[in-house]
């Protein structure tokens, strides 16, 4: 079940609306820019988000927030010109060890420049005890963010085991709707995504979705 802080988080009601068809047209809570390993300039990603008509967006570059200010400014510019840009949520993708497996964690909707996240925003994965999943969970929580396991079926351990371990550590949810086949145009992978959704629903945890875009088209990976 969700912790009280997660229940009160302003992003939680949005994530409660996530369905199989929410991405990439309405919501995208996982994408990248040139500020980590993506190909899109922050301003170009913002323009694509507006053109698509996204309602909510989080850019989750690996271990950094460098793109956030530029994207926010670009969306504000689109708004001044009469467009209806998406609500932008601060996000980051952090590597950590869960059950001895290297996984990625999405931190969403956290406070800017919170000291707890400083070690994780230096452009590279940390080493030592800070790499443990419980340390990452604590850091994101202290910053006021939600903690979600990214693409649970992409790791060497089965998603059932990883989600169970994540739930025990106090993760708020996981990325459910994901294109594991990495098609040219994003669409969720049948069966595996549905199994992850059922697992999270049973646990009362949040579901997210995202294209995990690394290329030049926000509708694909």
């Amino acid at each position: 079940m969700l912790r009280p802080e997660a229940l009160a988080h302003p992003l939680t009601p949005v994530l409660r609306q996530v369905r199989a068809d929410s991405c990439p047209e309405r919501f995208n809570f996982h994408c990248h820019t040139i500020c980590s390993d993506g190909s899109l300039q922050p301003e170009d990603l913002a323009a694509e988000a507006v053109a698509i008509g996204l309602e909510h967006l989080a850019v989750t570059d690996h271990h950094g927030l460098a793109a956030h200010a530029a994207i926010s400014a670009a969306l504000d510019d689109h708004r001044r010109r009469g467009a209806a840009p998406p609500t932008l949520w601060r996000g980051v993708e952090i590597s950590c060890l869960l059950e001895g497996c290297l996984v990625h964690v999405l931190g969403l909707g956290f406070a800017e420049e919170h000291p707890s996240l400083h070690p994780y925003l230096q452009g590279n994965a940390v080493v030592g005890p800070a790499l443990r999943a419980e340390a990452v969970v604590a850091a994101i929580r202290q910053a006021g963010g939600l903690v979600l396991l990214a693409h649970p079926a992409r790791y060497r351990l089965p998603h059932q085991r990883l989600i169970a371990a994540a739930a025990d550590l106090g993760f708020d949810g996981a990325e459910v709707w994901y294109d594991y086949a990495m098609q040219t145009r994003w669409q969720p992978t049948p069966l595996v995504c549905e199994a992850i959704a059922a697992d999270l629903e049973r646990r009362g945890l949040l579901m997210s979705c995202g294209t995990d875009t690394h290329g030049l088209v926000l509708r694909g990976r």
Side-chain angles (χ1 to χ4, degrees), residues 4-155:
E5 295 87 349
L7 285 170
H9 196 284
L11 181 54
T12 293
V14 179
L15 294 178
R16 295 284 197 199
Q17 301 175 48
V18 169
R19 300 292 182 268
D21 60 354
S22 297
C23 186
E25 307 296 332
R26 290 187 64 202
F27 305 143
N28 195 338
F29 298 108
H30 189 176
C31 54
H32 299 276
T33 73
I34 61 164
C35 295
S36 65
D37 57 347
S39 303
L40 281 165
Q41 295 283 346
E43 296 81 4
D44 293 335
L45 189 148
E48 280 218 39
V50 172
I52 290 170
L54 279 174
E55 298 172 24
H56 292 271
L57 169 69
V59 177
T60 52
D61 280 329
H62 294 271
H63 301 281
L65 295 177
H68 184 84
I71 292 170
S72 180
L75 293 177
D76 285 344
D77 186 55
H78 283 282
R79 185 178 293 107
R80 284 192 294 270
R81 287 186 277 148
T87 299
L88 179 64
W89 300 88
R90 193 171 283 104
V92 68
E93 188 168 11
I94 299 172
S95 300
C96 71
L97 287 175
L98 177 66
E99 292 286 283
C101 179
L102 189 65
V103 303
H104 292 169
V105 174
L106 299 175
L108 300 177
F110 50 86
E112 185 177 8
E113 300 298 334
H114 192 281
S116 68
L117 283 176
H118 183 75
Y120 301 101
L121 301 178
Q122 305 306 308
N124 294 292
V126 299
V127 296
L131 186 62
R132 295 197 302 261
E134 52 265 42
V136 175
V137 169
I140 296 172
R141 280 186 174 188
Q142 288 173 40
L146 297 175
V147 186
L148 295 98
L149 178 63
H151 39 62
R154 280 193 64 186
Y155 307 113

Side-chain angles (χ1 to χ4, degrees), residues 150-170:
H151 39 62
R154 280 193 64 186
Y155 307 113
R156 64 176 178 82
L157 294 181
H159 61 80
Q160 297 92 336
R161 178 175 170 182
L162 290 173
I163 290 172
D168 287 344
L169 285 180

